[in-house]
Amino acid sequence: MSLIHKIKETSLSVVPIMLLVILLHFTAAPLDATTFIHFLSGGVLTIIGLSLFLLGADIGILPIGEKGGAALTSKKNMPLLLSVSFAIGFIITFAEPDVQVLAHQVQLINPAVNSLILVTMISTGVGFFVSLGLLRTVLNMPIKLFYLIFYIILFVLAAFTSSDFLSVAFDAGGATTGPMTVPFILALGMGVAAVHNRKGSHDNSFGLTGLVSIGPIIAVIVLGIILGNTGPEAVYTTSEHSLEFRHILVDEFWEVTKALLPLAGLFVAFQVFLMKMPSKQIVRMAFGLIYSFIGLVLFLTGVNYGFIPAGTELGAILGLPENQGILLVTGAIMGAVVVCAEPAVWVLTRQVEHISGGSIKRKTLLIALACGVSLSVLFSMLRVTHGFSIWYYLIPGYSIALFLMIFCPTMYTAIAFDSGGVASGPMTSTFILSFTLGASKASGGNPVTDAFGVIAMVAMTPLIAIQILGILSTKRGKHS
Amino acid sequence: MKILTAIVPHNQGEVIAESARKAGAAGATIQQGRGTAHNQILQMLGLGDSEKDIVFIVVPMDSYPAIEKAIVDKSKLAKPHYGILFSRHVHYFLKNTDVIFDQQIEEADSMKNTNTHELITIIVNAGFADDAMEAARKAGASGGTILNGRGTGRAEDVSFFGITIVPEKEVLLILVEKGKSSAILEAVKNLDCLVGPGTGIAYCTEVSDFVQLGKETK
């Protein structure tokens, strides 16, 4: 049965994280007994939650997005396509709980910022880029050009923004690409591409998520330039979550409800106005949404209950100066194993395998991603211990990523930019972030800039890793 | 020549292709599909689907038994109900500009005893293959495999900014014992997804050498 199969698969990606922590617990970094037990039970919840979520994504979110995109394009009405896709991007972002949290953080930097305006700004950014991305798909304009132009705009604008706003801006990119949003946007793009009868149409199936995650970054940067930095020195606040299991469960329940409701609403609207699917499919998709809902609640509960405390404590122990070597090694391994347990990474890699008819294997992509993220966490740990500016990484990193586009096949470039957005999901923003924060505090660094650094890094290295994979695989293809 | 077709679990396509290659096959092409649930309630709940690989290998007549045996032996190491294997006759084969004609229809006819099954193919608009499968199951089919595809669109289809909008399709493959096919085709005949113009088609072809793959069950 598919659920059992899914549990087996997800175990393979979560168990390595657990093994790593268990190993450290019995060697270099013995954890508090409660933290350790919470971590283990959190791990089990994570496996069950992730399995259910993916099962639901397969029959719920993904088909809804795909069918919606296909049906929307089939109407052959450009204003309709653009306005509906803008509305979709706006609505799902507006409802994303992470965006609300982010708005709160911005208020700490600049109390003059109205959080409603900020959320509206970010949502508009996403909405605009969703419709721009679909316009690009329909008109078949080169996606590489879009990436190049918008990343250049982004970095030029960044030069005029205060560093506090910048850190929030890059976080905004990660925050909007939540585990509900990404599969949906991914599927929407594929749906629009699927009904196009054109040579090389697979090239157009991906890339929308990558484009969309630029939107909120630019939106926040623009806001930062307009408003300036009038607030006090930024203080990083990990929103003080209760550590009690019941509270976390209830919190996550509401968060996921808020994120899912607009998707459910879109589903109903699609069905009534566009698709008119047979009733059996509707029931299946509705069940899919329910599975995703339960799965995501369990997953996020497991992560918040078990992984955040364990991550913080591990970081605090390994961040001590005498443990620096272990910190670097642990960071590298952690990056590699954690990315494999990101829900959106699962969805993306599976979709790539489907669309490519199995010629780009899930495993190959995962290995490339693991290498990339492993390096990004390793480099972030170096920054934690030495405290130099993130720009020494970001500017060369993005320059390399943009430069590699010249040699990389379009489909791989699109997948690479998509995976940048998906790699920095809930696993990274909880486990790796709390680990980095813990290490930074222990080694006496500045947690604000470190916290920002690691997420931005995890979002950047996949661009390079996947494009290198693309270049290598075409070289080999030509030889044979 | 024959074209050997095996439907096996996802990621097992390479395993099958490899054992076929060792037994002398030149190469294989693998396509992805989705197996339908055996149980209607599971199907409704979305719990019964399984991902499948469909492997196509064109094989000369004389090496067919060895290749088939290699695949069957390999599959015996796996769980029961691993998959199915069947073949169809190929009378024209082109590879690297070499053409092989193989008009051994008479011989194929003489081996009628291997033609125990038939392959029903139903092509419908995306989303309707499950409906067709349900009707087929009521008429005696045991399971089916769904492939995604797209129609080529007709010339008169209006284009949209220079591109032709094509309908998404699903291809449902159902392998049944000979004699069951007419009941199944009769059952799907009046489904909405096959009635309207441009919605769907169904056809039936003979297959031979049907084998159930997987560990033997008594």
Side-chain angles (χ1 to χ4, degrees):
Chain A
M1 204 170 85
S2 49
L3 182 62
I4 296 167
H5 186 64
K6 280 260 152 44
I7 290 181
K8 266 191 221 159
E9 281 186 326
T10 47
S11 303
L12 278 179
S13 60
V14 178
V15 167
I17 304 178
M18 298 175 72
L19 288 179
L20 175 69
V21 174
I22 292 171
L23 182 75
L24 287 168
H25 175 66
F26 288 110
T27 55
L31 297 172
D32 186 62
T34 339
T35 314
F36 187 62
I37 290 164
H38 283 190
F39 173 78
L40 292 184
S41 40
V44 175
L45 267 186
T46 309
I47 293 176
I48 300 171
L50 189 55
S51 311
L52 261 178
F53 170 76
L54 294 170
L55 182 72
D58 273 357
I59 59 171
I61 303 175
L62 289 172
I64 293 171
E66 262 176 68
K67 300 265 149 63
L72 205 51
T73 318
S74 305
K75 292 279 170 195
K76 296 174 193 154
N77 181 339
M78 190 61 102
L80 180 81
L81 175 69
L82 296 185
S83 52
V84 172
S85 53
F86 177 85
I88 291 172
F90 188 90
I91 294 170
I92 52 180
T93 313
F94 203 84
E96 178 72 47
D98 288 355
V99 177
Q100 312 277 349
V101 175
L102 189 83
H104 177 70
Q105 279 180 23
V106 174
Q107 273 191 318
L108 291 175
I109 306 176
N110 186 335
V113 178
N114 181 327
S115 68
L116 187 67
I117 292 179
L118 180 79
V119 174
T120 311
M121 214 44 202
I122 296 177
S123 309
T124 311
V126 172
F128 174 74
F129 272 86
V130 172
S131 52
L132 185 76
L134 293 183
L135 180 71
R136 183 209 71 79
T137 312
V138 171
L139 300 183
N140 199 24
M141 291 187 273
I143 192 153
K144 289 177 178 175
L145 193 68
F146 275 69
Y147 288 142
L148 186 69
I149 292 173
F150 283 107
Y151 270 102
I152 289 176
I153 293 178
L154 193 159
F155 276 93
V156 168
L157 286 175
F160 298 101
T161 323
S162 81
S163 63
D164 286 339
F165 257 107
L166 266 189
S167 62
V168 175
F170 274 90
D171 266 358
T176 44
T177 46
M180 281 285 184
T181 323
V182 169
F184 189 76
I185 291 185
L186 202 63
L188 195 68
M190 289 191 299
V192 172
V195 291
H196 285 185
N197 180 19
R198 177 179 284 160
K199 212 172 141 245
S201 91
H202 287 342
D203 284 359
N204 278 332
S205 299
F206 297 97
L208 184 61
T209 315
L211 205 53
V212 165
S213 46
I214 307 175
I217 309 183
I218 293 188
V220 176
I221 289 181
V222 168
L223 194 70
I225 294 176
I226 297 172
L227 292 173
N229 185 357
T230 59
E233 196 63 359
V235 189
Y236 191 89
T237 50
T238 36
S239 34
E240 279 305 320
H241 277 303
S242 158
L243 287 178
E244 205 184 318
F245 182 74
R246 206 154 35 91
H247 289 161
I248 296 178
L249 187 66
V250 173
D251 277 357
E252 295 306 337
F253 183 86
W254 289 118
E255 302 265 282
V256 178
T257 307
K258 275 190 271 176
L260 188 77
L261 274 182
L263 281 186
L266 282 172
F267 172 43
V268 173
F270 276 172
Q271 170 60 24
V272 173
F273 298 109
L274 282 172
M275 306 194 281
K276 315 213 165 45
M277 296 286 291
S279 58
K280 214 156 281 129
Q281 296 292 320
I282 298 173
V283 175
R284 250 169 85 95
M285 289 178 185
F287 269 107
L289 288 180
I290 294 170
Y291 296 150
S292 304
F293 173 78
I294 301 172
L296 201 56
V297 170
L298 292 180
F299 174 80
L300 291 174
T301 305
V303 169
N304 281 301
Y305 174 69
F307 283 44
I308 290 189
T312 314
E313 212 173 307
L314 269 183
I317 299 171
L318 297 178
L320 296 173
E322 67 267 26
N323 284 337
Q324 268 196 22
I326 307 174
L327 178 73
L328 294 181
V329 176
T330 308
I333 300 174
M334 197 182 270
V337 290
V338 163
V339 71
C340 301
E342 284 287 358
V345 167
W346 271 84
V347 174
L348 176 71
T349 50
R350 278 171 38 83
Q351 291 304 100
V352 171
E353 196 173 283
H354 268 283
I355 296 284
S356 69
S359 62
I360 306 177
K361 284 275 173 207
R362 212 181 91 74
K363 269 190 198 130
T364 324
L365 279 179
L366 276 183
I367 291 170
L369 276 177
C371 292
V373 175
S374 166
L375 282 180
S376 69
V377 180
L378 176 73
F379 284 144
S380 300
M381 290 306 138
L382 279 175
R383 234 164 55 77
V384 164
T385 51
H386 293 86
F388 45 87
S389 165
I390 182 79
W391 293 107
Y392 289 112
Y393 289 150
L394 288 190
I395 290 176
Y398 276 102
S399 308
I400 294 173
L402 294 177
F403 177 70
L404 285 175
M405 292 200 305
I406 303 172
F407 309 102
C408 184
T410 306
M411 186 178 173
Y412 277 95
T413 300
I415 296 170
F417 279 77
D418 275 356
S419 53
V422 305
S424 52
M427 263 301 199
T428 312
S429 53
T430 56
F431 193 46
I432 291 195
L433 185 61
S434 58
F435 176 73
T436 318
L437 278 171
S440 166
K441 276 180 197 149
S443 65
N446 175 2
V448 185
T449 44
D450 293 345
F452 145 62
V454 73
I455 291 185
M457 286 293 286
V458 170
M460 182 191 75
T461 47
L463 306 189
I464 301 173
I466 301 284
Q467 289 198 97
I468 291 179
L469 175 74
I471 294 168
L472 290 179
S473 63
T474 37
K475 274 228 175 99
R476 204 186 304 159
K478 270 176 200 155
H479 278 297
S480 66
Chain B
M1 308 278 296
K2 279 181 177 180
I3 178 154
L4 181 152
T5 309
I7 303 180
V8 294
H10 182 51
N11 276 335
Q12 295 291 307
E14 278 81 359
V15 178
I16 294 298
E18 187 52 34
S19 41
R21 203 168 9 243
K22 276 183 192 149
T29 305
I30 301 168
Q31 194 177 10
Q32 293 192 323
R34 167 167 74 90
T36 58
H38 289 282
N39 176 316
Q40 257 186 57
I41 297 163
L42 281 186
Q43 163 65 23
M44 190 81 131
L45 296 179
L47 291 172
D49 286 356
S50 49
E51 286 177 62
K52 297 286 184 193
D53 279 353
I54 299 117
V55 189
F56 300 97
I57 310 171
V58 179
V59 174
M61 276 299 189
D62 47 353
S63 56
Y64 185 87
I67 291 169
E68 183 192 36
K69 186 173 179 302
I71 295 173
V72 172
D73 287 348
K74 184 80 192 169
S75 78
K76 280 185 181 145
L77 304 173
K79 59 183 189 337
H81 305 296
Y82 176 78
I84 56 171
L85 182 154
F86 58 86
S87 76
R88 277 169 288 178
H89 186 76
V90 171
H91 60 76
Y92 176 99
F93 181 62
L94 171 81
K95 186 184 180 186
N96 307 340
T97 72
D98 291 337
V99 173
I100 299 170
F101 284 102
D102 191 357
Q103 300 285 13
Q104 293 172 306
I105 307 291
E106 297 80 13
E107 195 194 328
D109 277 349
S110 73
M111 304 194 306
K112 263 265 158 64
N113 54 337
T114 67
N115 295 8
T116 53
H117 285 69
E118 284 174 310
L119 177 69
I120 298 174
T121 309
I122 303 173
I123 305 176
V124 290
N125 282 327
F128 289 89
D130 286 302
D131 282 16
M133 187 62 224
E134 194 191 326
R137 191 177 281 120
K138 282 191 185 133
S142 58
T145 308
I146 299 170
L147 315 173
N148 291 323
R150 56 174 189 264
T152 54
R154 287 162 301 166
E156 62 265 35
D157 281 348
V158 196
S159 71
F160 175 49
F161 287 90
I163 48 170
T164 317
I165 303 290
V166 294
E168 284 182 278
K169 295 286 186 182
E170 278 175 346
V171 182
L172 171 64
L173 305 176
I174 308 173
L175 204 70
V176 292
E177 286 154 41
K178 228 175 196 175
K180 277 188 180 175
S181 59
S182 51
I184 292 170
L185 289 166
E186 198 57 38
V188 297
K189 193 173 160 191
N190 289 316
L191 288 177
D192 287 345
C193 55
L194 281 161
V195 167
T199 50
I201 56 169
Y203 58 88
C204 183
T205 49
E206 282 202 344
V207 302
S208 42
D209 311 306
F210 174 82
V211 187
Q212 192 97 40
L213 295 177
K215 194 194 276 173
E216 277 158 299
T217 46
K218 273 142 253 163

